[in-house]
Amino acid sequence: MSVATLVQPTGEMWEKIRVELNENQNTKEQDLATIKEWLRKQPHLPDEFDDRCLMSFLRGTSYSLEKCKRKLDMYFTMRTACPEFFTDRDITRPELDNVMAKVQGAPLPGLTPNGRRVTICRGLDKDIKMDVLNNVFKLALMIGDVRLMEELEGVGGDIYVLDAGVVSPTHLAQLSPTAISKFLVCVQEAYPVKLKEIHIVNTSPLIEKLINIIKPFLKEKIKNRIFIHSEISSLYEHIPQKMLPEEYGGSGASLVEINNAWKDKLATYTTYFKDQESLKAVEELRPGKPTNYDELFGIDGSFRQLSID
């Protein structure tokens, strides 16, 4: 049985999302033209970017032209700053194939009744080493780039379910704060993500301690969007049980099937990913001062405050 990857909103759901995203059908093409013209005038940024991606950025910033410009600038800046995330993005490479066999993190096919996209992230191997973290983040951003291309009508936001079942003290000791900082800046400041909820399942005192350490560095609104579940049944109060995979008591496709479908999809984008490697900021041409990456990523020892829409 083939498994869909990105079911799109239609009908009444899309009408509700359109209102939430502040989309005006009469002005969106003009907004797109404005952003394209702005991009052409930036000496340090690519002259052209796919219209579908630009529309995703406009929707993700609720059609605020200034927010859209900042996100796009950061998007191309991160592609220069983090080559470990944005080069060699070929899913058939052994190191990426290996990660997909040990970590699952693809979006579920459907949408919640209010148009949210749900992604469940979990590890399958208790012995997985944290030196694969950059490739895990690379895969997550590859999926993000596919969504920029394919979510043609946009979604009402994102919900992430983090399964901590295989996380151990050894894993936490091996985590790279720099890699995590870079990834968080990528996701929250360079991609048009509207993060609505984070749910943590199969938790433990260790995970809860980690969350409490991170919380002071998060803005208040995101703190209030983190939910810890001692029982999987309480997750159903936020996400319809029927759309969840069978591993979580739902009637949807299994995470294995969803992961395999995404692996096939990513393979079809191999040439696209290769071509995209040249689309990045050229700091030497940036008006004013070049970006200071140490400041951007908080490499002085402090976490950068996350910017949440």
Side-chain angles (χ1 to χ4, degrees):
M1 180 183 69
S2 62
V3 176
T5 49
L6 290 172
V7 174
Q8 305 296 325
T10 57
E12 185 178 346
M13 179 187 289
W14 169 229
E15 291 299 328
K16 290 180 179 178
I17 292 173
R18 184 177 293 168
V19 171
E20 185 174 346
L21 298 183
N22 195 37
E23 179 166 305
N24 185 329
Q25 291 291 92
N26 296 322
T27 60
K28 72 174 188 175
E29 292 302 324
Q30 180 57 50
D31 291 338
L32 176 61
T34 299
I35 289 297
K36 291 173 70 173
E37 179 64 18
W38 170 82
L39 194 59
R40 283 191 288 269
K41 290 180 178 179
Q42 306 311 304
H44 62 297
L45 300 182
D47 290 338
E48 300 286 342
F49 195 38
D50 192 285
D51 284 7
R52 290 167 291 184
C53 295
L54 292 176
M55 285 303 305
S56 291
F57 274 89
L58 279 166
R59 291 191 178 100
T61 53
S62 299
Y63 287 84
S64 165
L65 295 178
E66 292 310 307
K67 284 185 179 180
C68 183
K69 292 173 185 178
R70 289 197 299 270
K71 285 270 187 181
L72 280 168
D73 194 316
M74 185 65 80
Y75 177 80
F76 293 116
T77 297
M78 294 303 293
R79 296 173 74 87
T80 303
C82 303
E84 64 270 34
F85 296 161
F86 294 102
T87 58
D88 298 323
R89 301 201 295 174
D90 183 344
I91 195 61
T92 64
R93 291 173 59 234
E95 50 266 53
L96 293 185
D97 184 67
N98 180 56
V99 168
M100 285 209 78
K102 295 182 177 181
V103 179
Q104 295 171 334
L108 303 187
L111 297 165
T112 65
N114 55 356
R116 311 299 195 228
R117 184 76 71 195
V118 179
T119 299
I120 299 179
C121 305
R122 70 170 185 170
L124 302 176
D125 187 345
K126 291 184 178 181
D127 296 323
I128 189 170
K129 304 299 183 184
M130 288 297 97
D131 59 4
V132 305
L133 198 59
N134 280 344
N135 283 328
V136 171
F137 292 158
K138 179 183 292 191
L139 280 166
L141 296 173
M142 289 166 68
I143 289 172
D145 282 345
V146 171
R147 290 183 59 187
L148 290 179
M149 290 286 288
E150 293 196 6
E151 287 185 330
L152 301 180
E153 299 297 339
V155 297
D158 278 86
I159 297 173
Y160 283 86
V161 179
L162 310 180
D163 188 331
V166 303
V167 178
S168 69
T170 302
H171 290 143
L172 298 184
Q174 294 174 350
L175 288 176
S176 163
T178 299
I180 293 171
S181 176
K182 286 183 176 183
F183 179 69
L184 290 176
V185 174
C186 274
V187 172
Q188 299 302 331
E189 300 194 33
Y191 279 76
V193 173
K194 286 185 171 293
L195 184 58
K196 298 298 184 181
E197 300 170 16
I198 298 173
H199 299 274
I200 302 172
V201 300
N202 292 324
T203 188
S204 67
L206 176 71
I207 299 301
E208 293 173 23
K209 182 178 179 181
L210 176 64
I211 294 168
N212 287 332
I213 291 172
I214 294 174
K215 269 190 173 181
F217 302 101
L218 302 177
K219 290 191 174 181
E220 200 61 37
K221 62 171 67 174
I222 193 60
K223 293 179 189 178
N224 297 329
R225 295 173 185 175
I226 299 175
F227 303 87
I228 298 175
H229 300 270
S230 56
E231 300 288 340
I232 199 69
S233 58
S234 62
L235 184 63
Y236 307 153
E237 299 171 13
H238 303 268
I239 303 169
Q241 183 177 357
K242 64 180 181 180
M243 78 171 288
L244 288 168
E246 57 188 37
E247 293 93 336
Y248 296 88
S251 53
S254 72
L255 283 183
V256 172
E257 292 173 314
I258 294 168
N259 210 54
N260 287 339
W262 268 95
K263 184 176 178 180
D264 291 342
K265 178 184 283 292
L266 291 173
T268 69
Y269 275 84
T270 299
T271 301
Y272 174 82
F273 287 138
K274 181 63 177 175
D275 293 342
Q276 291 282 301
E277 287 189 18
S278 63
L279 297 182
K280 56 187 179 181
V282 180
E283 289 300 330
E284 293 83 357
L285 300 178
R286 180 186 293 275
K289 293 182 179 180
T291 302
N292 184 315
Y293 296 149
D294 286 352
E295 291 180 1
L296 179 63
F297 300 129
I299 294 175
D300 59 355
S302 62
F303 277 91
R304 180 182 172 89
Q305 283 272 355
L306 298 186
S307 174
I308 307 294
D309 288 329

